[in-house]
C-alpha cells in the first residue's frame, strides 16, 4: 500500500478503538469502510481486512454478516 493510502486510512481508523461484542458501538464491514473512503482513495476489501486484522480489531456478526467491532475514540474523533 502506498504512503497516501496509509495516511488516509490511519486518519480514518484513528477515530475508532478496538471493541468486543460487549462494548462495540459501531459495526462496519470491510466493504462499508471501502465505500466510506472511496471519495479520497481506492481501497480493496482485502486491503481493509488485512489492515483491520493487523491493528487487532475483532470480528463480530450482524445477523450472518461479518463486521468489525469498533467504538468511537472521543479524543481522536475527526472534527468538522
Amino acid at each position: 500500500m502506498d504512503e497516501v493510502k496509509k495516511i488516509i486510512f490511519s486518519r480514518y481508523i484513528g477515530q475508532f478503538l478496538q471493541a468486543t461484542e460487549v462494548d462495540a458501538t459501531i459495526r462496519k464491514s470491510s466493504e462499508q469502510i471501502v465505500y466510506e473512503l472511496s471519495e479520497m482513495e481506492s481501497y480493496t476489501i482485502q486491503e481493509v481486512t488485512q489492515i483491520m486484522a493487523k491493528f487487532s480489531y475483532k470480528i463480530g456478526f450482524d445477523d450472518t454478516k461479518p463486521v468489525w467491532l469498533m467504538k468511537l475514540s472521543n479524543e481522536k474523533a475527526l472534527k468538522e
Side-chain angles (χ1 to χ4, degrees), residues 1-79:
M1 182 181 304
D2 68 37
E3 274 308 301
V4 172
K5 288 175 90 168
K6 287 179 185 176
I7 291 167
I8 292 167
F9 196 89
S10 294
R11 184 69 176 102
Y12 172 82
I13 203 63
Q15 304 175 87
F16 308 104
L17 296 172
Q18 295 89 341
T20 65
E21 286 283 358
V22 174
D23 64 354
T25 56
I26 299 167
R27 295 166 178 263
K28 294 184 182 191
S29 68
S30 293
E31 182 179 23
Q32 288 171 307
I33 295 170
V34 165
Y35 178 76
E36 289 178 3
L37 293 172
S38 67
E39 292 184 24
M40 291 289 292
E41 184 60 84
S42 179
Y43 294 84
T44 66
I45 292 172
Q46 182 179 10
E47 286 175 318
V48 169
T49 300
Q50 289 175 346
I51 296 169
M52 294 298 283
K54 177 182 173 184
F55 286 106
S56 302
Y57 283 85
K58 305 231 181 309
I59 296 173
F61 288 88
D62 263 351
D63 295 321
T64 60
K65 184 178 178 179
V67 292
W68 296 105
L69 302 174
M70 302 182 285
K71 57 187 173 184
L72 272 181
S73 172
N74 291 336
E75 70 182 49
K76 295 182 182 177
L78 290 176
K79 306 284 190 251

